[in-house]
Amino acid sequence: MTETTLSELTDPAVLPAAEAAALLAGTSWTRMVTIGDSVAEGVREPVPGYRDLSWADRVEEALGAVTPGFTALNLGRRDLVAAQVAAEQLQPALAFGPDLAFVAAGGNDMLRPHFDEDEVRRELTSIVSALRSAGADVVTIGLLDITVAGLGPSRYREVMSARTRRLNELAAEVAAKHGACHAANPYDHPAAADPGIYSGDRLHLNARGHAFAAANTVRAMAAYFASA
């Protein structure tokens, strides 16, 4: 099936709002901040049958449903590399006083001619460690491998796939080292191979893709923080 035959009510990859809230019931976060690049910002295109919300909007909605007085701030901005996220967004994020922080950075570093893994690791470490030291629970966001959906220039797909998976490994390693949660987006899920979850630029998720990513994020958070 494609996005034209699915809706939020029928899409098996989407977590209904009430179920997302139920999975996060019992949490006590009141101030959520999101930092990073276009993934954090929530760049997307609308899709008929799906609410025009980013994955972060959907997480915010679920938490707002279970916590009175919940508030959120999204500082994400497209086209930034990890060093720029750290330099431009970390201090405003800390000033917000979050008890929950989402970090999505490194995707633009990965798209450069040379992917400097060590630099990305250092920047992610500085971001995550600072937020953890300030008392926030942190969630790092994994990227989908667009090549499994047949996207990306054919001659670069092998490199893009390898870099995407390596970036996700780096984010997961940093998260594990600093007591944070890593929300992976599963490469082997049927939706991941469907080009219908992507926008017309064939790089960013559309509203349907964001609904899928939100479901993965909420499930990862529920599993991690229930066992923490």
Side-chain angles (χ1 to χ4, degrees):
M1 290 189 290
T2 67
E3 72 273 23
T4 58
T5 59
L6 289 173
S7 72
E8 286 200 40
L9 298 178
T10 61
D11 192 336
V14 174
L15 197 59
E19 292 185 25
L23 283 173
L24 298 176
T27 60
S28 58
W29 297 300
T30 61
R31 299 181 70 80
M32 164 184 155
V33 70
T34 303
I35 69 172
D37 49 31
S38 59
V39 175
E41 182 182 353
V43 172
R44 63 192 181 279
E45 289 177 351
V47 176
Y50 293 81
R51 292 179 298 155
D52 188 19
L53 299 172
S54 74
W55 66 268
D57 294 332
R58 289 173 179 272
V59 174
E60 177 184 347
E61 176 185 63
L63 290 170
V66 299
T67 305
F70 181 83
T71 188
L73 173 67
N74 193 326
L75 296 167
R77 187 160 61 86
R78 68 187 305 165
D79 297 331
L80 300 186
V81 295
Q84 291 173 306
V85 173
E88 299 175 18
Q89 298 177 15
L90 180 55
Q91 289 307 314
L94 293 169
F96 179 68
D99 50 13
L100 176 65
F102 291 88
V103 179
N108 290 309
D109 301 76
M110 180 189 78
L111 295 175
R112 285 180 161 183
H114 172 63
F115 176 31
D116 191 334
E117 296 183 14
D118 290 337
E119 180 181 2
V120 172
R121 182 188 290 105
R122 285 194 300 270
E123 299 298 344
L124 286 175
T125 296
S126 70
I127 294 168
V128 173
S129 62
L131 289 164
R132 292 290 292 135
S133 294
D137 289 319
V138 177
V139 181
T140 57
I141 301 298
L143 300 182
L144 282 167
D145 181 353
I146 68 172
T147 69
V148 302
L151 302 181
S154 57
R155 62 177 176 164
Y156 296 127
R157 284 178 189 163
E158 185 175 348
V159 171
M160 289 181 68
S161 179
R163 287 185 175 188
T164 301
R165 293 168 189 249
R166 183 57 187 142
L167 174 59
N168 289 338
E169 289 172 355
L170 290 175
E173 290 166 7
V174 171
K177 183 175 181 179
H178 295 279
C181 170
H182 178 67
N185 278 298
Y187 310 126
D188 57 354
H189 192 288
D194 186 348
I197 70 171
Y198 288 92
S199 295
D201 64 6
R202 299 171 67 83
L203 180 64
H204 295 99
L205 295 171
N206 59 25
R208 178 187 165 203
H210 275 273
F212 169 55
N216 296 330
T217 302
V218 168
R219 289 191 178 103
M221 293 171 62
Y224 180 86
F225 291 108
S227 61

